[in-house]
C-alpha cells in the first residue's frame, strides 16, 4: 500500500524527501509545506476552466498570494472542449509545480487528477462547477480568494481514487479515474440529458427535469455483477452508483458509510418497483442526511429496517455487465454507452491541499484518515442477496 507520507523526488533545491513527522493524519512534505524558507523556490501552476471561473478575480487572488508568500510567478493553462484537463495537466507537470490549482467543476478536477496523481504533486481545488461534490465532501467549499489562500498555505492529505474500466458497445475499452462517484442509470442520464446552458443559469436545479422523467418512467435494466470475489449474481435495477464520497448536491447523503480515504468503494442499488417505493427512498435519504450528523442519529439509522429498493454494499472491486448497453457517468460527465464495467479503488493515490489543521481539531476534514501501513479491510457485506 502506498504510504500517505510519500513524496516524489522534486530534484535539486526543491526538497523532495518526505518529512518524518505526521500529525493527525495530515501529510507533511518538505517543498509542499508553505512558508518563506531561504533557498527554496516555489511555483504554482493554475489550470482554469474558462467557462466556469471569473478569470480576472482568480488572477488577482493568485497574484496577491504569490507576492505575500514570495513564490515565483504562476504558470497558467486553460481547458477547452477538446481538452477537459488531461493535456494541460501534462503541460503543467513540465513546470515542476509545488501545487497545481484547479479552478472548475468536478469534471475538470477529475481530468487533471487522472494525469497528476502518479506524480504525488498535490492538487488544490477552486470549486466553480454545478455540483462541486468533491469540494463539498472534503469541506473545501469556499470563495475564490479563500480557496486560493488555502492552495498556498494549506496542508496536504491523501485521498483514494476510483478506477473504472469501461467496455463500450463497439468493443473498445477505456480506463478512467473518478474522485466522487460513477454510475449507471439515473445519474448517467442526468449527466447526458441535462442542458449545459440550463446548468449554468440555475445550477443543480437543472437536474430536476431528467430526475422526474427517470423516476416516473422507472425503466430498469438487467445487471450481472460480482462484488469482490463473490460469485456472480443477477439483478434488475434502476440505478447503480459506486462512490468514493457519499454526499450529493443539496446535502443529500446517498452513501452514508463512504469516506474519501478508507480504501473502499461504496455501492448502492436503487431498484424501486413503483412511485410509492420512490417515496420511501426519498424519505430514507432525506431523513438519513439529518440523522447521520449525530451519533444517536447514526444508531437509529443502523437499526432501521433495510429497504428492498435501496441496497448497499462495500468492497474494493465491482464488476458488472449488462444485457443491453447502458449510459455511464464519471464525476458528472457522460462517457457514453457501455456493456461492462470493472471498478476498483487505489487507496491514498491523490494528494489534495486543504485547510485542515493539526492541532486542536479546528478545521479538521470530515472524512476519516487511514493509519500508516497495511490494513485489512472488512467489507460490511460483500455478497448481498437480491430480494425480489
Amino acid at each position: 500500500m502506498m504510504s500517505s507520507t510519500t513524496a516524489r523526488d522534486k530534484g535539486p533545491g526543491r526538497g523532495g524527501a518526505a518529512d518524518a513527522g505526521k500529525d493527525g493524519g495530515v501529510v507533511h512534505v518538505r517543498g509542499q509545506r508553505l512558508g518563506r524558507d531561504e533557498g527554496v523556490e516555489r511555483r504554482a501552476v493554475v489550470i482554469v476552466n474558462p467557462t466556469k471561473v471569473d478569470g480576472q478575480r482568480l488572477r488577482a487572488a493568485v497574484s496577491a498570494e504569490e507576492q505575500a508568500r514570495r513564490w515565483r510567478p504562476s504558470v497558467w493553462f486553460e481547458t477547452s472542449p477538446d481538452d477537459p484537463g488531461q493535456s494541460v495537466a501534462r503541460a503543467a507537470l513540465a513546470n515542476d509545480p509545488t501545487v497545481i490549482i484547479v479552478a472548475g467543476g468536478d469534471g475538470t478536477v477529475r481530468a487533471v487528477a487522472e494525469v497528476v496523481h502518479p506524480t504525488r504533486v498535490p492538487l488544490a481545488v477552486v470549486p466553480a462547477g454545478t455540483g462541486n461534490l468533491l469540494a463539498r465532501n472534503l469541506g473545501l467549499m469556499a470563495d475564490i480568494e479563500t480557496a486560493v489562500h488555502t492552495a498556498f498555505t494549506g496542508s496536504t492529505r491523501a485521498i483514494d481514487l476510483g478506477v473504472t474500466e469501461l467496455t463500450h458497445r463497439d468493443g473498445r475499452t477505456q480506463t478512467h479515474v473518478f474522485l466522487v462517484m460513477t454510475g449507471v442509470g439515473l445519474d448517467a442520464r442526468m449527466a447526458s440529458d441535462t442542458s449545459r446552458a440550463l446548468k449554468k443559469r440555475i445550477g443543480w436545479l437543472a437536474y430536476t427535469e431528467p430526475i422526474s422523467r427517470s423516476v416516473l418512467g422507472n425503466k430498469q435494466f438487467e445487471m450481472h455483477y460480482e462484488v469482490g470475489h463473490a460469485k456472480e449474481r443477477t439483478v434488475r435495477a434502476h440505478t447503480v452508483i459506486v462512490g468514493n464520497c457519499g454526499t450529493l448536491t443539496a446535502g443529500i447523503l446517498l452513501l452514508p458509510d463512504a469516506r474519501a480515504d478508507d480504501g473502499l468503494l461504496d455501492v448502492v442499488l436503487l431498484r424501486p418497483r413503483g412511485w410509492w417505493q420512490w417515496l420511501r427512498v426519498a424519505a430514507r435519504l432525506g431523513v438519513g442526511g439529518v440523522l447521520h450528523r449525530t451519533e444517536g442519529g447514526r444508531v437509529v439509522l443502523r437499526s432501521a429496517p433495510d429497504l428492498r429498493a435501496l441496497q448497499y454494499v462495500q468492497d474494493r472491486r465491482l464488476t458488472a455487465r449488462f444485457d443491453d448497453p447502458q449510459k455511464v457517468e464519471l464525476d458528472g460527465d457522460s462517457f457514453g454507452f457501455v456493456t461492462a464495467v470493472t471498478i476498483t479503488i487505489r487507496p491514498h493515490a491523490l494528494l489534495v491541499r486543504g485547510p485542515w489543521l493539526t492541532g486542536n481539531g479546528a478545521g479538521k476534514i470530515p472524512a476519516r484518515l487511514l493509519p500508516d501501513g497495511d490494513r485489512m479491510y472488512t467489507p460490511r457485506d460483500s455478497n448481498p442477496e437480491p430480494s425480489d
Side-chain angles (χ1 to χ4, degrees):
M1 177 179 295
M2 188 179 298
S3 170
S4 63
T5 56
T6 301
R8 72 183 187 114
D9 182 2
K10 292 179 176 290
R14 292 292 301 277
D19 194 328
K22 183 174 183 288
D23 185 3
V26 177
V27 181
H28 300 261
V29 182
R30 286 196 296 273
Q32 296 178 4
R33 297 290 294 177
L34 304 220
R36 300 188 179 189
D37 297 351
E38 294 297 326
V40 177
E41 290 190 335
R42 298 182 174 88
R43 166 182 279 167
V45 172
V46 187
I47 296 176
V48 185
N49 182 334
T51 67
K52 303 283 188 180
V53 182
D54 182 339
Q56 184 174 356
R57 184 178 169 189
L58 178 63
R59 284 183 178 271
V62 170
S63 178
E65 292 293 337
E66 289 170 354
Q67 295 176 35
R69 317 282 157 210
R70 299 181 185 173
W71 284 39
R72 299 174 66 192
S74 298
V75 181
W76 292 73
F77 295 94
E78 289 187 352
T79 65
S80 66
D82 294 331
D83 175 24
Q86 288 93 339
S87 294
V88 290
R90 283 187 281 270
L93 290 171
N95 289 275
D96 200 17
T98 303
V99 62
I100 295 178
I101 302 172
V102 185
D106 289 315
T108 304
V109 178
R110 188 208 66 79
V112 174
E114 190 164 85
V115 173
V116 170
H117 78 271
T119 70
R120 309 299 280 171
V121 174
L123 296 188
V125 179
V126 178
T130 303
N132 302 309
L133 295 185
L134 180 68
R136 292 180 189 278
N137 280 272
L138 297 183
L140 299 177
M141 289 300 294
D143 58 29
I144 288 176
E145 289 76 15
T146 302
V148 170
H149 179 73
T150 296
F152 281 83
T153 64
S155 300
T156 303
R157 64 166 287 210
I159 66 170
D160 304 335
L161 273 183
V163 181
T164 304
E165 181 181 297
L166 308 173
T167 302
H168 294 276
R169 52 184 171 182
D170 61 1
R172 290 180 301 112
T173 60
Q174 290 181 310
T175 300
H176 293 285
V177 306
F178 65 93
L179 303 176
V180 184
M181 297 178 189
T182 181
V184 171
L186 172 59
D187 62 329
R189 288 188 287 273
M190 287 167 54
S192 63
D193 298 348
T194 304
S195 163
R196 289 184 180 271
L198 194 60
K199 284 197 296 182
K200 187 173 183 178
R201 190 162 68 249
I202 64 174
W204 64 269
L205 291 174
Y207 294 125
T208 303
E209 193 270 339
I211 289 174
S212 300
R213 281 193 287 110
S214 183
V215 169
L216 291 174
N218 202 30
K219 183 178 179 180
Q220 303 202 359
F221 54 87
E222 194 158 272
M223 179 176 75
H224 313 279
Y225 72 96
E226 298 177 13
V227 177
H229 299 291
K231 67 179 182 179
E232 183 178 87
R233 297 185 178 277
T234 299
V235 66
R236 289 193 63 79
H238 177 279
T239 298
V240 56
I241 296 175
V242 182
N244 187 39
C245 301
T247 300
L248 303 177
T249 305
I252 297 173
L253 186 61
L254 178 64
L255 300 169
D257 292 335
R259 300 291 183 272
D261 53 6
D262 63 359
L264 292 171
L265 297 168
D266 284 68
V267 185
V268 61
L269 286 174
L270 281 79
R271 39 201 306 264
R273 285 177 169 164
W275 63 268
W276 66 95
Q277 290 194 347
W278 275 112
L279 289 177
R280 294 184 67 187
V281 168
R284 175 64 63 87
L285 295 179
V287 172
V290 175
L291 292 178
H292 201 265
R293 297 172 187 169
T294 65
E295 181 58 36
R298 289 190 288 271
V299 171
V300 172
L301 280 177
R302 285 192 291 268
S303 62
D306 292 337
L307 294 182
R308 174 205 173 273
L310 191 67
Q311 296 186 339
Y312 291 95
V313 63
Q314 281 186 322
D315 209 289
R316 289 176 289 180
R317 178 184 176 89
L318 171 77
T319 61
R321 53 188 181 88
F322 312 102
D323 290 348
D324 299 310
Q326 301 295 323
K327 288 182 178 180
V328 65
E329 65 83 22
L330 280 77
D331 287 350
D333 288 339
S334 176
F335 279 75
F337 284 88
V338 296
T339 57
V341 296
T342 297
I343 305 170
T344 55
I345 194 80
R346 289 180 188 167
H348 280 191
L350 178 69
L351 297 184
V352 179
R353 184 66 55 79
W356 26 84
L357 305 181
T358 62
N360 60 11
K364 277 188 177 291
I365 53 174
R368 292 192 303 260
L369 288 166
L370 282 172
D372 287 335
D374 293 334
R375 171 181 171 184
M376 289 296 293
Y377 296 100
T378 305
R380 177 174 51 184
D381 181 3
S382 295
N383 196 11
E385 181 73 47
S387 54
D388 294 305

